[in-house]
Amino acid sequence: MTESLLALDGVTRRFGGVSALEDVSFAVAPAEIVAIIGPNGAGKTTLFNVVTGFLAPSAGTVRYRGRRITGLAPSRIAAAGVIRTFQNHVVFGEMTVLENVMVGCHRWTRSGLVEGALALPQVRREDREVADAARAVLDLVGLGPQAADPARDLPVGRQRLLEIARALAARPDVLLLDEAAAGLTAEETRHLVRLIGRLRDAGITFLVIEHNMDVVMEAADRVIVLDYGRKIAEGRPADVQRDPRVVAAYLGDDADAADRRGEGPRDGLAGVSP
């Protein structure tokens, strides 16, 4: 059995008397693409916040490479190789597209403040290395021609691609994408699916929150479904799509009527946006 790279054990997060997550456990293997889906308010982004240290769990543990990372600062978790994007994408509008991506390279750069202030030769070499790495990532996501443009001038969908490029520039081992396809055109979405597949083949592990079910069905190796903070299903995309509990969570009472017509489990979640 492949050892897990990232593992959650009994993770619970409460806000007052409300449980946003309740006893959630699962593991992610190296170079696996796992999608987290569920209706609005199911706890998906809260789960990302717990994994990446932006929220402390009320109970349970998160482990990365077998080491407990629960309670570590987000910067330390990111430095270890667990990188995320955000549902509300953030770009530095006054900076160029290339400069935005160069910011993501800080995780693996070696020069410090003193070396930079002195403009030592190794700093200049590293600056060139960073710029070259950033351009390569921009070409990878399809933003190479816009490298010199101000980031604020990009359409919303392309700004989301820019945030993904900045995350990739950090050279993540695990990349958490929060609704990466939101705002993308159909062609950009297809490109994103192909890109995720190529990056997985290169060894990057993905944990993905996604509302676009086409992306989930095409890209994910495994799907985990949350509803009211609890994990209600886990498995291959096609199997989860037909799970009656998942259909009921998305469609509510309409699922019962659809099932009586023979449409629910057969059609699964095709065309349904969580």
Side-chain angles (χ1 to χ4, degrees):
M1 181 177 178
T2 303
E3 185 177 351
S4 63
L5 184 63
L6 183 70
L8 283 69
D9 183 15
V11 169
T12 296
R13 172 66 196 198
R14 298 187 182 93
F15 296 94
V18 178
S19 289
L21 295 171
E22 187 67 39
D23 195 27
V24 176
S25 300
F26 64 87
V28 184
E32 186 179 23
I33 302 170
V34 175
I36 308 293
I37 69 171
N40 290 329
K44 304 182 294 294
T45 296
T46 299
L47 186 146
F48 266 30
N49 287 337
V50 169
V51 169
T52 54
F54 287 87
L55 285 174
S58 304
T61 58
V62 181
R63 294 184 182 275
Y64 172 61
R65 297 188 182 276
R67 176 191 171 200
R68 180 187 174 115
I69 61 172
T70 313
L72 294 183
S75 59
R76 291 187 62 188
I77 294 173
V82 180
I83 307 295
R84 71 171 295 181
T85 65
F86 291 85
Q87 184 175 2
N88 298 317
H89 64 275
V90 177
V91 300
F92 305 111
E94 300 302 317
M95 297 169 62
T96 68
V97 170
L98 178 65
E99 289 167 342
N100 267 265
V101 178
M102 291 173 67
V103 169
C105 297
H106 70 88
R107 176 184 169 234
W108 51 267
T109 53
R110 298 170 297 279
S111 300
L113 181 61
V114 174
E115 292 92 334
L118 295 175
L120 297 178
Q122 63 264 33
V123 175
R124 294 195 295 271
R125 286 195 299 271
E126 188 169 77
D127 285 345
R128 290 192 294 270
E129 181 183 355
V130 165
D132 289 344
R135 289 190 185 94
V137 172
L138 285 175
D139 289 339
L140 185 65
V141 303
L143 290 176
Q146 286 81 49
D149 295 347
R152 65 173 180 270
D153 291 346
L154 292 178
V156 172
R158 307 230 98 193
Q159 288 187 17
R160 191 166 292 278
L161 287 175
L162 176 57
E163 188 183 18
I164 293 171
R166 190 171 58 212
L168 289 172
R171 298 178 180 174
D173 297 312
V174 180
L175 182 54
L176 290 80
L177 299 179
D178 195 344
E179 297 188 28
L184 301 188
T185 66
E187 179 53 39
E188 288 169 342
T189 299
R190 288 190 291 269
H191 174 69
L192 176 65
V193 171
R194 293 191 296 267
L195 175 63
I196 290 173
R198 291 201 304 271
L199 293 169
R200 186 270 303 277
D201 292 343
I204 295 179
T205 302
F206 284 89
L207 192 60
V208 179
I209 294 173
E210 189 49 68
H211 280 190
N212 187 321
M213 296 308 299
D214 290 335
V215 172
V216 172
M217 296 301 293
E218 291 184 44
D221 300 310
R222 188 157 49 96
V223 178
I224 292 166
V225 187
L226 299 180
D227 189 33
Y228 293 106
R230 293 182 176 274
K231 186 178 77 172
I232 63 169
E234 177 178 354
R236 295 179 302 175
D239 295 336
V240 166
Q241 186 185 37
R242 293 170 173 80
D243 190 312
R245 295 169 299 177
V246 178
V247 175
Y250 275 95
L251 301 180
D253 293 338
D254 290 342
D256 296 331
D259 189 31
R260 287 193 295 271
R261 296 194 302 269
E263 297 169 3
R266 185 190 67 221
D267 292 339
L269 299 177
V272 175
S273 177

